[in-house]
Amino acid sequence: MRVSVQLDDFDIGKELDLFRNSKSNTGAIVSFQGIVRNNSEKSLLNMDIEQYPGMTQKAISKYVVTAVERWSLNDALVIHRHGKLFPGDQIMMVATAAMHRHDAFQSAEFLMDYLKSRAPFWKKEITKKGYHWVESVLDDEKSLERW
Amino acid sequence: MIKVLYFAWVRERIGVPYEMLETQSGTVMELVEELKQKEERYQVAFSDLSALKVAVDQELCEFDARLNGALEVAFFPPMTGG
């Protein structure tokens, strides 16, 4: 298991290669990559992601441990960036490794749902007109109910 | 002394990322009321608690949570990770 909260970019290909080789009885890996999306007017200059140092790592680790136990995962990886990011940049990745695909898919979705609304990150979008804090989406909160 | 932290627009409205406070408040709610008495910027930031979340010692909790011996309280809008 690994959780990394970092300013720097990462190489998802290398990360997945390392991840695949971590346990020999893995039959399925699901990975998710989150990208800085431009808005409909294409006016996004950059995004600033603020975090709560100390709590971020702890909160994510708690959900990773829960996922590993609940779906008997062989391994799980979360990398989440903070700081200044530009349209098209990678924000984060999640990977889960299981013996079978169902557990890998389910646990990856679980982790994504929890990262969305329970990991202490706040996104600020800087556009040509000014800036605004990205508001949380009610659907994201609701999607936790299914777990 | 308790460390009170603010994030995102809460930080911007209050004007500092954190402050150290001497408080007798027993719950998060009492601390919020105490802060609101201090200055207008706190009243503005805490005017709608349904738009805010709170963590005590880096664990999410409700506004009626007790502070007994807590080292850190943080106020922030709903998170937008992922």
Side-chain angles (χ1 to χ4, degrees), chain A residues 50-52 54-55 58 62 80 92 115-124 131 133-134 136, chain B residues 5-9 11-12 53 55 57-60 72-74 76-82:
Chain A
E50 185 171 331
Q51 60 136 352
Y52 183 170
M55 180 175 168
K58 242 168 43 182
K62 188 174 87 181
H80 203 303
M92 52 87 63
L115 284 168
K116 273 270 166 204
S117 44
R118 288 291 183 275
F121 292 103
W122 299 274
K123 292 181 179 136
K124 182 196 237 181
Y131 78 81
W133 291 96
V134 174
S136 65
Chain B
L5 300 98
Y6 311 105
F7 292 96
W9 58 256
R11 170 178 54 72
E12 292 178 339
K53 294 207 173 273
D57 285 339
Q58 306 187 350
E59 293 276 351
L60 276 176
E72 214 169 282
V73 179
F76 40 81
M79 295 93 129
T80 49

Side-chain angles (χ1 to χ4, degrees), chain A residues 41-61:
Chain A
E41 297 97 49
K42 302 231 184 310
S43 66
L44 182 69
L45 298 175
N46 69 280
M47 180 178 269
D48 256 318
I49 302 183
E50 185 171 331
Q51 60 136 352
Y52 183 170
M55 180 175 168
T56 318
Q57 183 88 20
K58 242 168 43 182
I60 300 175
S61 299

